[in-house]
Amino acid sequence: MSESRKRDRDRDRDRGRDRDRGRDRDRGRDRDRDRRSDRSESPPRKSLFASQQSAAEQAAASAQLGAVMAAQAAAMSGSGKPLPNMNGLLALRGETPDQKRSRELFIGNLPAPAPTEFQLKDFLSAAVQQAGMCTMPGTSLIQIRIQKNFAFAEFRSVEEANLAMNLNEIIYQNCPLSVGRPSRYTGPVGEQVSYGEYIAKHKPEVLNLPDAVGLPAGSAAALGEAESKILRELYVGNLPPQMTDTQLMMFLNQQMKLRQLSSTGIPGDAVTAARISNGLAFAEFRSVEETSLACTELNNLDCFGFKLKMGRPKKYEEVMQRQASGAAQRPGGRKQDPTCCLQLSNAVTEEELADASERSDIEDDIKMELTKFGEVKGFAMPTEGAGACKVYVRFSEVLQARVARAALQGRVFGQGSIDVWFFDEAKFVAGEWADMEEEVRARRPLLARLVELPTRGPR
């Protein structure tokens, strides 16, 4: 076979193969076109991850799952109670900055040197657990951020952050911490009490524990101090928009001194704390006397073009009614004219005065405590007569005695509480010690008879 014929045969065979490939390719395109047409006419295929339930069924399933999770968590904690809600935990993911601030609290007045974040978190977590402020098992405090002498505490839910507002004035390394909302918080403002008041109301048994967290020694006194604080607080309205807590406290203290409403003999400022939230503030004073003076003298005071509105908090009337009811039940009452001298009952015992060395130590301790309220010009602890086992003190000013009386009345000491009466200055100077409680109550029957005499109408 010649070479030219062989080349022609090979070329024909290659052309045949190309035609076969072209027919196969066209046949495949036809099959694909038919398959796409069938697919467009059939119902869409459901995704493997698509929900097979309606919206109502999904909500019911979600609620059931939440209940199972709550029951499991409660069983693990040993409480046997389901959790109130899980919203606080679910809100941690994808929440807005405002929502996060609702879970944060400002912690001020930290001791120096400042504690570590771990130390402060451990302390506050123990205090929260002690007061029963947790709404679900585990630690409610997520983290602490310390900046110089203040910190920010982040809680796992808004509800627990609201409860933790009552950590205010908790004692940490002899410093009462200031607990409040961050300055950029814009949410609702709830009621807030001091940590001692909250414990006294919700966990009174804690007051008698020797190792109670965040409470001063002798913390049973918080039962009386709770009412004392309400009598020493005023609300302040119509504030300048940009005023801060510190600026308000400085302004009020300046006005108290300029108007001579605070005693010059008592060291320190009359206003001890102030907190502002949404244009309304509360100012705390060191004495009931100075609080009353500020309420009347500073009302409608001009503050950078704004007239401040000073008034009593809502709970003030309740406390006054309870005190009036208690005074009416006591047979003798205790209305007295203020003097610069005081009589303290239940502060010392006969056994303590019998020991000369112990008597000297007690006298030094009491004098040191009394000097917090002003200059002590005279002091006596008689061992005989009507004034036996009582403490008598003479201040340089009547206002100092008033402040001391308001602070010491009802304070728990030993097995009882201190009872404070104003004492006649002339008798103090003469050393004529008497029991003012007996004298005041002895005058009561005569006054009662005079009040109860029938009045005669016109003839």
Side-chain angles (χ1 to χ4, degrees), residues 66 70 73 82-91 135-137 156-160:
L83 301 181
N85 65 72
M86 302 291 287
N87 295 335
L89 295 177
L90 298 177
T135 61
M136 58 186 81
R156 61 185 171 184
S157 71
V158 175
E159 183 179 0
E160 288 176 319

Side-chain angles (χ1 to χ4, degrees), residues 352-371:
E352 291 170 339
L353 296 180
D355 189 328
S357 60
E358 188 172 2
R359 173 191 172 93
S360 178
D361 293 339
I362 293 174
E363 182 174 342
D364 292 339
D365 290 341
I366 295 178
K367 281 183 178 180
M368 184 177 298
E369 182 67 22
L370 293 173
T371 54

Side-chain angles (χ1 to χ4, degrees), residues 189 232-241 243-245 247-253 255-256 271-285 290-291 294-304 306-314:
V189 180
R232 293 184 290 105
E233 271 193 339
L234 295 178
Y235 78 81
V236 187
N238 197 33
L239 293 171
M243 178 164 275
T244 65
D245 299 355
Q247 291 172 342
L248 175 62
M249 189 165 62
M250 291 175 61
F251 177 79
L252 293 178
N253 279 320
Q255 295 299 319
M256 291 289 289
V271 182
T272 59
R275 59 184 189 276
I276 299 177
S277 183
N278 291 346
L280 184 65
F282 288 90
E284 182 180 346
F285 294 76
E290 289 168 316
T291 308
C295 186
T296 56
E297 299 296 331
L298 300 185
N299 190 34
N300 292 321
L301 178 66
D302 182 78
C303 178
F304 304 105
F306 291 80
K307 297 289 186 180
L308 298 185
K309 301 298 181 183
M310 310 283 288
R312 297 285 187 176
K314 293 181 180 179

Side-chain angles (χ1 to χ4, degrees), residues 220-269:
L223 291 168
E225 291 171 0
E227 291 194 350
S228 173
K229 182 184 177 184
I230 295 174
L231 299 179
R232 293 184 290 105
E233 271 193 339
L234 295 178
Y235 78 81
V236 187
N238 197 33
L239 293 171
Q242 304 302 325
M243 178 164 275
T244 65
D245 299 355
T246 304
Q247 291 172 342
L248 175 62
M249 189 165 62
M250 291 175 61
F251 177 79
L252 293 178
N253 279 320
Q254 182 186 42
Q255 295 299 319
M256 291 289 289
K257 292 177 181 178
L258 287 175
R259 299 167 186 271
Q260 298 182 352
L261 302 179
S262 56
S263 174
T264 57
I266 304 177
D269 294 324

Side-chain angles (χ1 to χ4, degrees), residues 151-187:
F152 291 95
E154 181 181 349
F155 291 82
R156 61 185 171 184
S157 71
V158 175
E159 183 179 0
E160 288 176 319
N162 293 338
L163 290 173
M165 283 282 289
N166 299 304
L167 290 171
N168 191 39
E169 297 184 10
I170 187 172
I171 306 299
Y172 180 57
Q173 296 183 8
N174 296 324
C175 289
L177 301 184
S178 175
V179 179
R181 293 291 187 181
S183 58
R184 300 176 68 181
Y185 172 77
T186 58

Side-chain angles (χ1 to χ4, degrees), residues 92 103 121 139-144 153-157:
L92 296 177
R103 296 187 293 103
K121 180 183 178 182
T139 303
S140 63
L141 192 54
I142 297 178
Q143 66 172 343
I144 292 285
E154 181 181 349
F155 291 82
R156 61 185 171 184
S157 71

Side-chain angles (χ1 to χ4, degrees), residues 30-42:
D30 292 340
R31 282 198 300 268
D32 291 341
R33 190 182 301 112
D34 294 340
R35 197 179 295 119
R36 283 196 298 269
S37 176
D38 294 341
R39 189 183 301 129
S40 63
E41 295 174 1
S42 62

